[in-house]
Amino acid sequence: MNEPGGDLVVPPGPGLRRGLVVPAVELVERFSRSSGPGGQGVNTTDSRVELVLDVEASTALTPTQRERLVTALAGRLVGGRVTVVASEHRSQLRNRAAARERLVALLGEGLAPPPPARRATKPTRGSQRRRVEGKKRRSQLKSGRGRVQPE
């Protein structure tokens, strides 16, 4: 479904009734040498993948979705673009798939609507009574700890 080089498909979820398809032309993939283990091939293969999506210029998003994404991903956006990096696999193809999976999860999470506001409630009369009784019990216990007065 989300094969490297093709369109990015975000499945339906909260905030995305029909899902989302980001055209492949809006995604930029960059490759570089990955750090870490990999044997002799680590110094010769460009297996690290950076996947970049320009959120502000994307045609796949509606203005509402774009606004929601910009506010949700404010800490991750650099110049209106979100970047996802994958370098945990030795193969470039597997890193490309991992980066796409991360971007799909990030978009799904960012497009989800905010949770409903919490409604304040009053404590019940019984819980208030139990709280006060517990305070009184604790007070009596501590008041009995003072110095013993000679009679």
Side-chain angles (χ1 to χ4, degrees):
M1 185 186 265
N2 267 330
E3 65 275 346
D7 293 346
L8 186 74
V9 179
V10 181
L16 285 172
R17 278 198 189 148
R18 285 177 251 119
L20 179 72
V21 177
V22 179
V25 295
E26 293 186 6
L27 298 170
V28 177
E29 285 182 320
R30 285 190 298 227
F31 308 103
S32 60
R33 291 193 181 134
S34 180
S35 63
Q40 295 172 337
V42 77
N43 296 325
T44 58
T45 58
D46 292 339
S47 60
R48 180 176 180 265
V49 178
E50 284 183 38
L51 187 61
V52 181
L53 172 67
D54 192 347
V55 174
E56 293 178 351
S58 178
T59 59
L61 301 169
T62 65
T64 310
Q65 290 175 332
R66 188 174 297 113
E67 186 179 317
R68 189 178 285 173
L69 258 182
V70 167
T71 55
L73 302 177
R76 291 196 61 139
L77 291 178
V78 177
R81 295 182 176 143
V82 64
T83 304
V84 177
V85 178
S87 65
E88 65 268 14
H89 301 289
R90 289 177 62 174
S91 154
Q92 184 188 90
L93 191 64
R94 288 177 66 191
N95 281 331
R96 288 174 79 183
R100 286 174 160 268
E101 286 173 21
R102 280 194 204 135
L103 186 59
V104 164
L106 201 62
L107 291 176
E109 197 177 299
L111 289 170
R118 180 188 171 276
R119 284 191 295 167
T121 58
K122 283 186 177 179
T124 62
R125 195 173 291 161
S127 69
Q128 289 176 346
R129 182 181 44 76
R130 286 190 298 274
R131 181 179 143 268
V132 171
E133 284 174 2
K135 284 172 156 291
K136 284 180 184 173
R137 231 178 289 118
R138 191 77 181 152
S139 172
Q140 287 174 351
L141 179 77
K142 288 188 170 190
S143 68
R145 290 185 188 165
R147 221 174 250 214
V148 177
Q149 298 293 326
E151 293 184 33

